[in-house]
Amino acid sequence: MQIELAENSGFCFGVKRAINIAIKTGQNHTGKVVTLGPIIHNPQMVSKLKESGIDFVDDIDQITKDMTVIIRSHGITIEEYNNLKRKRAKIVDATCPMVKKVQNYAKEFTNKGYQLIIIGEKEHPEVKGIIGHVDNNAIVIQDEYEKINLANNKKLGVIAQTTQPIERFQKIIYRLVPLCEELHIINTICGATSIRQKATKSLAQDSDVMIIIGGKNSANTTNLADICRKLGTRTYHIETAKEIQKEWFVDVEKVGLSAGASTPQWIINQVYQKIKNIDNTENDNKALS
Ligand code: SF4
């Protein structure tokens, strides 16, 4: 059985940067170091950081002035930032620079009188953070079939959550065209996302089974699994090697592996090794029979 890993699988630049900032902050700061929300959407990496003393809190009310707070890669709202300052906690900002760029585009559109449209997941922290930079004055469109209600349809300014699939972005733009007089689009889908989606799509077209590795709460990993399923390839989204079942590989010639931008390399290696071991055992059994 051939096992192939999609190119560019695993940590993107923004996630690597956020993890490095967290580790360095943990080493260099005395007192309690926490992240506001999980630093990335990968429960295994978050647990590892917890073991090294960097926990996360869900609520700003849990933060006290003796703490150092790391802002996660998805960013936060201006209100949350001001609340942290009021609490006099030390702030270390690990927001991905690409996400900051999107926050700035959102402000620019709003300041110029455009109705801001964000194509993305309403409940995702990145989207909530962006909305929080424009006083909640944004319409979020989550999928291509959703009803679109426009308060101001003269000038629309459109951006995307950085991890959206390009096909969804295009389909929603297509629907917006007849609804407005002026449409200004900035494709804010991150290059790291597009590259992973392209490589995964190409591998899925050529594989019998796809294994997508990463947090079940990770938007970019879930999107990778959706892309493979839409192609009709049998696809499993797993977080760790423990979830793998040997029945998945019966009569399979090629397995494709891909991992989201927040999946650590050690988990990818464990998954690869487990599938390899299943294949070796199968071959040994065939040789003996
Ligand atoms: S996927 Fe892109 S925007 Fe998101 S953290 Fe990685 S580099 Fe930043």
Side-chain angles (χ1 to χ4, degrees):
M1 185 167 71
Q2 191 191 343
I3 310 166
E4 187 177 326
L5 178 65
E7 279 173 36
N8 303 106
S9 290
F11 279 1
C12 62
F13 143 79
V15 166
K16 260 188 221 157
R17 179 177 172 274
I19 300 287
N20 287 340
I21 289 175
I23 292 170
K24 275 195 192 135
T25 306
Q27 288 164 347
N28 298 336
H29 285 68
T30 49
K32 200 166 168 52
V33 176
V34 296
T35 65
L36 185 55
I39 187 148
I40 56 168
H41 278 154
N42 185 274
Q44 292 71 32
M45 190 68 227
V46 170
S47 302
K48 223 176 168 75
L49 284 178
K50 192 175 173 180
E51 283 163 22
S52 64
I54 302 160
D55 204 351
F56 76 88
V57 295
D58 273 325
D59 199 326
I60 290 187
D61 287 343
Q62 293 168 264
I63 289 169
T64 51
K65 71 172 188 312
D66 51 320
M67 287 182 180
T68 301
V69 185
I70 303 164
I71 298 174
R72 57 182 167 172
S73 53
H74 302 118
I76 56 173
T77 65
I78 289 178
E79 196 188 347
E80 285 171 321
Y81 193 82
N82 289 338
N83 279 343
L84 287 178
K85 284 220 284 208
R86 262 195 292 277
K87 293 217 162 218
R88 290 191 283 140
K90 289 176 214 77
I91 304 171
V92 177
D93 193 352
T95 309
C96 176
M98 303 293 295
V99 173
K100 283 226 159 139
K101 233 171 152 180
V102 187
Q103 293 169 346
N104 289 335
Y105 285 138
K107 282 192 278 189
E108 248 177 75
F109 272 141
T110 309
N111 292 342
K112 286 181 182 164
Y114 285 84
Q115 168 63 63
L116 179 67
I117 308 271
I118 305 169
I119 298 175
E121 293 168 43
K122 293 183 171 105
E123 292 306 318
H124 193 282
E126 180 189 318
V127 174
K128 286 183 166 177
I130 297 167
I131 297 172
H133 278 73
V134 292
D135 283 335
N136 297 324
N137 185 14
I139 295 172
V140 182
I141 305 178
Q142 191 152 308
D143 70 63
E144 54 266 49
Y145 310 107
E146 190 171 321
K147 194 165 176 232
I148 302 173
N149 291 318
L150 295 175
N152 162 14
N153 60 356
K154 288 217 167 86
K155 287 165 73 175
L156 302 183
V158 187
I159 54 175
Q161 181 184 344
T162 53
T163 48
Q164 283 292 293
I166 188 75
E167 290 81 6
R168 186 179 301 150
F169 189 61
Q170 285 169 322
K171 281 179 187 162
I172 295 173
I173 298 288
Y174 187 76
R175 285 189 58 205
L176 289 171
V177 173
L179 301 180
C180 63
E181 283 177 17
E182 184 186 334
L183 187 62
H184 193 142
I185 305 157
I186 303 181
N187 179 1
T188 53
I189 297 172
C190 163
T193 303
S194 319
I195 288 169
R196 276 162 188 71
Q197 290 176 354
K198 221 170 154 188
T200 304
K201 192 173 180 181
S202 142
L203 183 58
Q205 279 162 338
D206 193 29
S207 301
D208 302 307
V209 175
M210 282 299 291
I211 308 291
I212 307 295
I213 317 156
K216 300 263 164 78
N217 57 348
S218 155
N220 78 85
T221 311
T222 308
N223 284 331
L224 292 180
D226 285 346
I227 286 169
C228 300
R229 289 192 187 107
K230 276 187 185 149
L231 288 170
T233 309
R234 185 154 53 90
T235 301
Y236 300 98
H237 176 177
I238 59 168
E239 281 189 357
T240 68
K242 280 189 194 143
E243 292 165 69
I244 291 174
Q245 297 173 28
K246 66 175 188 312
E247 293 74 21
W248 296 349
F249 308 103
V250 174
D251 296 329
V252 164
E253 283 179 13
K254 182 168 176 182
V255 184
L257 297 186
S258 183
S262 49
T263 310
Q265 190 62 41
W266 92 80
I267 298 183
I268 300 173
N269 294 347
Q270 284 171 352
V271 169
Y272 181 91
Q273 201 47 55
K274 181 144 183 192
I275 300 173
K276 192 93 195 123
N277 291 346
I278 290 172
D279 189 38
N280 289 343
T281 313
E282 276 302 303
N283 288 338
D284 289 348
N285 289 344
K286 273 184 202 156
L288 287 171
S289 61

